[in-house]
Amino acid sequence: MRHALPAALLLALAACSRNKPQVVTPVRVDTARVVVEPSNSSNVRSYLTVNDDPFHRIDHMDWPGPNRFRAADGEPGPDYWQQRADYSITATLDTTARSIAGAVTIKYVNNSPDTLRFVSLQVDQNLYKPGSKGSVINPADSRWGARNFQGGYVIDKLTVDGKSARSRVDDTMMRVDLDKPIAPRGGTATIAMSFSFRVPDHGSDRMGRDSTLYEIAQWFPRMAVYDDVRGWNTDPYLGQGEFYLEYGDYEFAVTVPAGYLVAASGLLQNASEVLTATQRERLAKAASSTSVVAIVTATEVAPKPVAGTKTWKFRAQNVHDVAWAAAPDFRWDAVSTGPIAGNEKGVLCQAYYVWPRAGRGWEDGAENTQWTIRTYSSLFYPFPYPQATSVAGPVGGMEYPMFVMVHTAAESQGAFGTIDHEHGHEWYPMTVGSNERRYAWMDEGFNTYINAFSNELRTPKTSAWPAMFANWKTIQGQGVSVPLMTPPDRIDRTALGAVGYRKPAVVLLTLRNHVVGRDMFDRAFREYTRRWAFKHPTPADFFRTVENVTGTDLSWYWRAFFYTNDVLDLGVDGVTNATTDGQIVASIAVRRHTSIPFPIIMRLRLADGSMQEVTIPVEIWNSNQRVTAEVPVRSNVIGVRLWPDGTVPDWNDSNDAWGNAPAADAPALVTTGGLNTSVPRK
Ligand SMILES: [Zn+2]
């Protein structure tokens, strides 16, 4: 979902070319072991294990051991399994009662090696029941609050394999007891029920209503994930944490007042029953046009009451959820991506926006969607679905398979940013189905990381880096920073944008640009995406894939930036120059002020006016807190600058310069060097 930066977004900055750094060896190490001190920011909430060796291996400590399900190299193991849930849903929108009533039939397949004697479902609408956990935890008028709306599910006619069944509802989770257990490795059960609920006006910024426009999500009971890591994943829906659901195929039919248009996940199955001949003709044209075609024009939207109802039928395959929107006054534009990686026919990109309430920027909505789908398909992994829909409405920004909601008022450039972000989620977590309710960084963090590439391509010479790092600094300074591994519902509301989105993006960019190298990280990130597409990866699967593909032990990195909230602070202590046998050697002392090690990257200014770049590998910080690099130079070193390219997240810049220090470059484009597009994406 969307999380806007509080301040100005992007600074126009030019990239700089630099000399190839010189790796120096040997480096003299001060033998005195210095006690690791916490960072110098006194109000930082302490999660430090300051006496631990920062290189201590965490793969056995905090990661599940590799096994037949999840292999040591980060791939799904030979016995990897996941459950499957296919849905058939019918629902009717009553615009007078502002309610939804429907029925769902779920064909559930138990591919696990376990016998299941009960199953768990998510019943998210119960967030709006008076006294729900979410309504108690979130202030009523907050983004995730229930606004004192009284709703929630009415569920009845529950059956399993056609026989009436018992259930127990606990807040937003529902447990169904099974008279007949579901056998392991392929046993099935058919679970059916009817449901109804009143549509909340403010659906915790994930769904809702604005006048006659309805944005409908989390609208039917959905299977919780049963996996090899935790069994049933029964974390409740509190509002701030997102979703974790099983893949399957969906057939759904929604009945709305005649005169309404419905936008939805999946492909429309009965165009001849709900669209006019002209609309069908325009849609067919759009499917093969890379220029936008208006399906419903500005002059055609004047909503007039039409008697009766119409039923719109959709089908979505290999997805873990579906959502939809309906309004009588949508403008509707569509355009094809044209042939893209992995899809010769192209993807149909659509924008639906209430007119004239939507900002004019929405007239670019279909093109923005097309640009986004093309870009991420070429950079990371082919978009796996036949269509991508953007809907303008009251929700600030929220993603579902093939379908995203973006705020009505978003202006042209702003709409691009949010449309780009929400559709970025079609890769993470729609295609790569991680557990968003526990790991925001695998959802919003990965997405913010790929958005940095998209933004720099869309608006050349702008860098996302300064604003992202500044946001991390802000919440660290406010004392609300927590480690990335913290589940999103336990992250302070004011820190979610930094901890869930921008810190993980900065951390991944730093790993790519300064630790393992751009080419190797791009290979690893694509390999992770390929390996775990339509599966359920855990953090360890990502960490192991990156280590395996890049050939680098990164325990120290995961530990520093994912498992603690300590910050990086290296500083230059001092420099002495000495001449031995005609060779000048500069001794440059560097101190590590926090628990976090990092490769030392320096630019030296020499007395003869020249510059010299030096890199020392991270292993130099084994068992010490202060090192002295002995660097052969042409003339005396008169100034030192740590992090000359300006994109290393060092907390304290007052000790990054010594003497007549060379200037740092303006923060470089984070995509400097670009992505190596010759690396296979699928
Ligand atoms: Zn998001």
Side-chain angles (χ1 to χ4, degrees), residues 311-322:
T311 298
W312 297 62
K313 296 176 181 167
F314 296 90
R315 179 171 165 76
Q317 292 174 282
N318 213 10
V319 292
H320 51 49
D321 201 357
V322 290

Side-chain angles (χ1 to χ4, degrees), residues 548-563:
N548 187 259
V549 175
T550 65
T552 314
D553 181 346
L554 293 165
S555 281
W556 65 274
Y557 199 85
W558 313 132
R559 174 188 182 78
F561 292 114
F562 290 75
Y563 287 86

Side-chain angles (χ1 to χ4, degrees), residues 321-360:
D321 201 357
V322 290
W324 53 282
D329 47 358
F330 273 139
R331 275 179 72 177
W332 177 12
D333 296 333
V335 65
S336 173
T337 55
I340 56 171
N343 188 335
E344 276 306 305
K345 284 169 64 184
V347 175
L348 185 69
C349 300
Q350 310 183 80
Y352 296 76
Y353 46 108
V354 283
W355 197 257
R357 289 209 303 286
R360 281 209 93 83

Side-chain angles (χ1 to χ4, degrees), residues 1-3 242 397 399 421-422 425 443-444 447-448 501:
M1 88 176 292
R2 162 182 164 276
H3 200 284
E242 297 193 35
E399 68 281 2
H421 175 85
E422 304 311 336
H425 282 301
D443 161 31
E444 301 296 355
N447 191 21
T448 306
Y501 295 62

Side-chain angles (χ1 to χ4, degrees), residues 30-40 48-54 566 569 591-596 621 623-626:
D30 289 9
T31 49
R33 183 164 180 141
V34 180
V35 176
V36 180
E37 296 151 6
S39 68
N40 50 9
L48 306 179
T49 49
V50 291
N51 296 316
D52 290 348
D53 173 358
D566 201 6
D569 181 13
R591 185 182 293 272
R592 175 163 63 93
H593 294 274
T594 69
S595 70
I596 297 184
W621 295 115
S623 308
N624 64 76
Q625 196 75 12
R626 186 175 186 272

Side-chain angles (χ1 to χ4, degrees), residues 130-332:
S132 76
K133 291 178 183 176
S135 69
V136 169
I137 289 167
N138 294 296
D141 59 351
S142 69
R143 183 174 181 189
W144 318 111
R147 310 248 164 131
N148 300 317
F149 179 85
Q150 301 207 348
Y153 274 124
V154 176
I155 290 174
D156 59 14
K157 300 190 186 117
L158 173 68
T159 63
V160 177
D161 295 330
K163 285 197 265 181
S164 149
R166 294 182 311 276
S167 70
R168 178 177 177 278
V169 173
D170 177 13
D171 203 61
T172 57
M173 296 305 302
M174 174 179 177
R175 171 187 152 129
V176 176
D177 291 321
L178 304 173
D179 284 345
K180 183 170 148 271
I182 312 177
R185 300 186 182 86
T188 65
T190 300
I191 301 154
M193 69 198 81
S194 62
F195 62 89
S196 63
F197 63 91
R198 291 180 57 230
V199 177
D201 286 354
H202 171 76
S204 303
D205 210 20
R206 303 193 190 282
M207 60 173 299
R209 183 185 70 86
D210 178 15
S211 182
T212 52
L213 165 65
Y214 289 79
E215 292 189 317
I216 303 300
Q218 294 110 251
W219 54 290
F220 55 95
R222 303 169 298 179
M223 296 304 303
V225 172
Y226 184 82
D227 64 25
D228 59 294
V229 182
R230 300 181 66 225
W232 287 107
N233 283 263
T234 53
D235 302 312
Y237 176 48
L238 301 177
Q240 187 160 307
E242 297 193 35
F243 307 102
Y244 187 37
L245 298 159
E246 298 289 13
Y247 287 98
D249 294 344
Y250 286 70
E251 306 268 1
F252 61 105
V254 296
T255 300
V256 298
Y260 271 57
L261 274 186
V262 177
S265 303
L267 286 178
L268 181 63
Q269 300 295 299
N270 63 334
S272 63
E273 292 168 19
V274 293
L275 302 182
T276 66
T278 306
Q279 289 165 346
R280 295 201 303 274
E281 200 177 293
R282 291 169 178 171
L283 202 52
K285 187 176 163 211
S288 58
S289 169
T290 53
S291 307
V292 175
V293 175
I295 313 300
V296 174
T297 68
T299 55
E300 291 167 351
V301 293
K304 43 192 178 300
V306 181
T309 60
K310 276 189 176 173
T311 298
W312 297 62
K313 296 176 181 167
F314 296 90
R315 179 171 165 76
Q317 292 174 282
N318 213 10
V319 292
H320 51 49
D321 201 357
V322 290
W324 53 282
D329 47 358
F330 273 139
R331 275 179 72 177
W332 177 12

